[in-house]
Amino acid sequence: MSIQTGPSASSLNSSPIKKPSDVKVFSFIDNSKASETLSWSGLGYSVNVRKIGRKQILKNLTGELRPGELTCILGPSGSGKTSLLNLLAGRVRQGGKNAAQIDGDVKVNGTKIVAADFQQLFGYVMQDDALLGTMTPREILKFAARLRLDHGGEKDHLIEDLLTTLGLKKCADTMVGNELIKGISGGERKRTAVGAELITNPKI
């Protein structure tokens, strides 16, 4: 598995950069909030596997995610890409039924943290979308806002802004669907999942 970082996403596109006035942006984002740098060193992860014993999933990984850069994690199936993201996003804790062992340091702006205690910093979209098929994108975003936001009157504005920016207005009131119910497209499902995470304007 390898981690590659590069210039900002905009510099990877050879087409002319659009002026800010030409691009729809998240109007609710507070640009005064400082960006965060996430880094890790000596990161390791192992679990107990029945009949096998201790299994080392990640070993001695070091890397950094800097604001304004596009970062790619590359590797074959089973190399630990998802496990790394789960660790960094705080979705794995020490112990548990698999006796998980986490080694190394995770830091935000140079300050060591236990990622599992700071999940509010991260927006994380899973590879497989966990969306209720009988709900619409609008309902999913409303549900996420009610669960995760504390300000009242602005929620509708945030939701409409996300629906417009993510290109979901045309399907906003169509059921997401599943294996039995015809619904929105795969790309629209993924953008809905992205919107549910962006609703809190996470730092990372």
Side-chain angles (χ1 to χ4, degrees), residues 49-157:
V49 179
R50 186 180 300 178
K51 298 182 179 179
I52 296 178
R54 201 76 189 166
K55 181 177 181 179
Q56 191 77 36
I57 298 175
L58 301 174
K59 184 177 180 180
N60 197 29
L61 296 182
T62 297
E64 185 177 58
L65 304 179
R66 295 183 291 269
E69 290 191 351
L70 175 68
T71 301
C72 301
I73 302 177
L74 306 175
S77 297
S79 61
K81 302 183 297 296
T82 299
S83 295
L84 173 60
L85 291 175
N86 285 336
L87 280 178
L88 296 177
R91 293 179 175 241
V92 178
R93 290 183 178 273
Q94 293 269 19
K97 64 179 182 179
N98 294 324
Q101 176 67 41
I102 302 173
D103 303 308
D105 297 330
V106 176
K107 298 180 180 181
V108 173
N109 289 346
T111 301
K112 183 178 178 179
I113 67 168
V114 177
D117 295 334
F118 290 86
Q119 293 187 38
Q120 73 277 7
L121 292 177
F122 306 98
Y124 183 32
V125 180
M126 302 292 291
Q127 182 176 355
D128 297 319
D129 304 320
L131 303 176
L132 189 60
T134 55
M135 295 181 72
T136 68
R138 190 188 306 279
E139 290 170 338
I140 288 170
L141 295 185
K142 282 186 177 181
F143 184 67
R146 291 181 65 181
L147 284 178
R148 305 170 72 178
L149 298 177
D150 54 6
H151 41 84
E154 297 182 11
K155 290 178 184 177
D156 289 341
H157 169 65

Side-chain angles (χ1 to χ4, degrees), residues 30-44:
D30 182 2
N31 291 323
S32 65
K33 292 174 66 174
S35 299
E36 308 288 347
T37 296
L38 177 67
S39 61
W40 59 96
S41 59
L43 194 63

